[in-house]
Amino acid sequence: MDNVTVFKAQKWAFSFIAEHQKETSAAELLLQGQMNWSTTEMLVHYQDVLSQEQWALFKANVIKYCQGWPAQYLLGKANFFGLELKVTENTLIPRQETEELVEWILADHKNPELTVLDIGTGTGAIGLSLKTERPTWQVTLSDISPKALAIAKENQARLNVTTTLVESDLLTNIVGTFDVIVSNPPYIATDEADLMDESVLKHEPKTALFAPDNGLYLYKQLAKQLTGHLRPHATLYLEIGFKQAKAVTEIFAQEFPHATVQVKQDITGHDRMVKVSF
């Protein structure tokens, strides 16, 4: 197509993606992300003609999306809790349900002087969101992957906030105590792989997705390591698989008999979060 306008490019993408039985909303996501436009800005530019380079890049990304690439990896960025974060194949793409975990923490804690640890931070999504909303909190981001931690460091710089970054397998290299500890660990059982989207399995880091022992391994390890890292009246927040509420509750209730364990559902009604109040 010659003189391809934004409108024509979007229309072509809708048709091409629909033919491949993919989510057509990716057409807008890819175009807006490439051009750094909001939805309103794209409407304003609907009759603008794309340059040859812009059109070629957009076509290439649409084709890759239909081949199974997540749109966020093609754009190199993802939105989370109002923040734009860099993502690569070394990091999990932040999910909308994890935003609800951030909201829960913020709703529970108004104290301006808290110490917070985000375990398995990946892009830094949880910890950086908390730091942005509560600038006076002392936030530590940790991850076992140095490549993921490097992305978190880049996102920290982009957002112009300061946190402590630590390479650590759970709490192994963590020093100090915390008021709030939060983690969205790998929790998918290996035998659940056939239930997952193909694009996730092909492109997102498996170490950030799967865990042994029916997905419960890291919860059990974390429960064993927590003692010595908790301040008085500390709180632990976890994201869980929607079938894991009973098992995760039992893990922490057994390890900490005097703690209170609460399960919270996400917006879709699935058990998705656990809070342990010590």
Side-chain angles (χ1 to χ4, degrees), residues 98 100-110 114-119 126 130 137 179-185 219 222 226 230 233-240 248 252 262 264 272-278:
T98 307
E100 297 181 55
L101 189 62
V102 174
E103 290 173 350
W104 197 10
I105 296 170
L106 292 172
D108 282 352
H109 298 282
K110 309 297 184 182
L114 294 185
T115 57
V116 179
L117 171 63
D118 175 13
I119 299 174
I126 295 175
L130 294 173
W137 286 4
D179 298 297
V180 173
I181 297 178
V182 57
S183 183
N184 177 17
Y219 298 115
L222 182 58
L226 276 172
L230 300 170
H233 311 296
T235 315
L236 170 70
Y237 295 83
L238 300 166
E239 184 168 319
I240 62 170
V248 173
F252 287 93
Q262 178 184 349
K264 188 176 179 67
R272 184 62 66 182
M273 295 161 274
V274 166
K275 176 172 72 173
V276 185
S277 302
F278 299 96

Side-chain angles (χ1 to χ4, degrees), residues 9 48 59 75 111 150 158 166 184 244 248 256 275:
D48 289 4
K59 281 195 298 183
L75 296 170
N111 189 323
R158 286 180 172 198
V166 181
N184 177 17
Q244 294 176 326
V248 173
F256 301 95
K275 176 172 72 173

Side-chain angles (χ1 to χ4, degrees), residues 182-200:
V182 57
S183 183
N184 177 17
Y187 56 69
I188 300 171
T190 52
D191 61 2
E192 293 179 334
D194 59 343
L195 302 176
M196 299 177 64
D197 189 89
E198 185 180 357
S199 67
V200 175

Side-chain angles (χ1 to χ4, degrees), residues 15-24 65-66:
S15 176
F16 188 88
I17 292 171
E19 287 176 9
H20 288 79
Q21 299 181 329
K22 298 286 186 178
E23 290 289 336
T24 54
Y65 170 74
C66 290

